[in-house]
Amino acid sequence: MPEGHTLARIAHGLRTAFADRPVRVSSPQGRFAAEAALLDRSVLTGAESAGKHLFIEFVEAQVVHVHLGLIGGFEIRSGPPPDPVGQVRLRLVGGGPRAAAYADLRGATRCQLVTPDERAAVVARLGPDPLRSDADPQRAWLRIRNRPRPIGEQLMDQQVLAGVGNVYRAEVLFRQRIHPRRTSIRRGQFQAIWADLVELMAEGVRTGRIDTVRPEHTPQAMGRDPRVDDHGGEVYVYRRHGQPCLVCGSLVCTELLAGRKSYWCPRCQRAPRALG
DNA sequence: GCGCCATGTATAG
DNA sequence: TATACCTGGCGCA
């Protein structure tokens, strides 16, 4: 379940559980075993996310670069570690006897030791991250303005915006009433998208979920039976293909865009004229 | 139990 | 553009 907010939460969780103390590092599954042995018992100094990337920092500028891909997960729990379940690529165990904690990484597409230069190169390739207070949205806007591609494609491009995935793409475009295949959006529209992402993703970091439905559109507020929506009303269009729009009742559409299913409401998000 | 799909990306053609 | 990779949950027998 990894969009940018998930990685930010993981980074925070790792800092809280392990920072400034030696940790046991292992790879029960084996694919990270040699590197884990090098890091074992060294002090974990920090953890930081950049978009959907995670960097776990150890003493002496040793950094583990993690990318969860589509299906990876990093589970952080308090208490003593149980026997590993499934394919645990990386396990961290720390804390004293009074505050034991462990973290298990599974299914990641990337987990490797990197140099500071390699880390910097990864970050340099990313567009501004709405979760970072020092992000410069102007960089994203210039890129979007100069390359007339569908906005639904641009939002998924990590070189344009870092941390946005398929859920936030669908939801922010719905909230801003912009069709995913619209090209050449106006500056004001981009500013609204950015501001909305800043708010939605920060909320995602706080709650660990993606909730995008405004209070006035919840099933209760609309006088609708909450049970009709199997997502519990937290999203407007994501994965709601063929179901009625929470605002106007039109059936939600879907189409492949940038290799992923894009969702939109045909009435609330007017199609660009070029599409007929 | 099986097959499909998934909040992602890299690489081949 | 298509496919490979990684794991878990779901719908459907």
Side-chain angles (χ1 to χ4, degrees), chain A residues 54 61 82 119 169 189-190 192 228:
Chain A
L54 172 69
R119 172 187 183 166
R169 159 174 83 167
Q189 289 178 303
F190 171 74
V228 301

Side-chain angles (χ1 to χ4, degrees), chain A residues 40-53:
Chain A
D40 193 24
R41 296 180 192 277
S42 61
V43 172
L44 188 153
T45 52
E48 189 184 25
S49 65
K52 299 170 191 170
H53 297 259

Side-chain angles (χ1 to χ4, degrees), chain A residues 13-85:
Chain A
L14 292 175
R15 289 194 299 271
T16 303
F18 304 113
D20 303 321
R21 282 175 304 199
V23 292
R24 300 304 310 265
V25 183
S26 60
S27 178
Q29 171 220 43
R31 283 182 55 187
F32 193 65
E35 298 89 337
L38 285 176
L39 294 168
D40 193 24
R41 296 180 192 277
S42 61
V43 172
L44 188 153
T45 52
E48 189 184 25
S49 65
K52 299 170 191 170
H53 297 259
L54 172 69
F55 301 99
I56 312 172
E57 302 152 356
F58 295 83
V59 288
E60 292 166 13
Q62 302 181 100
V63 175
V64 178
H65 175 208
V66 172
H67 197 293
L68 296 181
L70 186 58
I71 58 173
F74 215 151
E75 193 183 14
I76 305 167
R77 292 284 142 81
S78 58
D83 287 340
V85 177

Side-chain angles (χ1 to χ4, degrees), chain A residues 3 5 166-177 196-197 199-201 203-204 207 209-218 229 231-238 240 246-247:
Chain A
E3 295 197 26
H5 69 301
N166 206 15
V167 185
Y168 283 123
R169 159 174 83 167
E171 294 301 300
V172 77
L173 289 177
F174 178 87
R175 285 165 59 102
Q176 299 307 319
R177 303 287 192 265
D196 211 15
L197 285 171
E199 188 177 318
L200 288 175
M201 293 176 72
E203 164 92 0
T207 63
R209 338 168 359 121
I210 299 181
D211 289 302
T212 61
V213 177
R214 297 187 167 97
E216 64 267 32
H217 296 140
T218 59
D229 183 3
H231 266 273
E234 81 256 16
V235 292
Y236 282 106
V237 292
Y238 174 69
R240 295 195 62 244
L246 298 182
V247 173

Side-chain angles (χ1 to χ4, degrees), chain A residues 125-129 136-137 139-141 143-144 147 151 153-162 190 194:
Chain A
R125 264 183 267 120
L126 299 175
D129 179 346
D136 175 15
R139 280 174 57 214
W141 165 241
R143 211 171 153 118
I144 288 170
R147 306 194 332 162
I151 185 62
E153 211 174 286
Q154 306 254 35
L155 292 183
M156 292 286 277
D157 184 343
Q158 300 300 296
Q159 299 186 51
V160 174
L161 281 177
F190 171 74
W194 175 266

Side-chain angles (χ1 to χ4, degrees), chain A residues 217-264:
Chain A
H217 296 140
T218 59
Q220 302 90 300
M222 300 287 283
R224 202 182 286 121
D225 184 346
R227 285 172 302 178
V228 301
D229 183 3
D230 57 7
H231 266 273
E234 81 256 16
V235 292
Y236 282 106
V237 292
Y238 174 69
R239 281 234 249 176
R240 295 195 62 244
H241 174 45
Q243 297 178 56
C245 170
L246 298 182
V247 173
C248 77
S250 302
L251 299 188
V252 172
C253 300
T254 188
E255 177 185 85
L256 223 51
L257 188 57
R260 316 298 308 285
K261 280 187 180 178
S262 175
Y263 302 86
W264 75 94

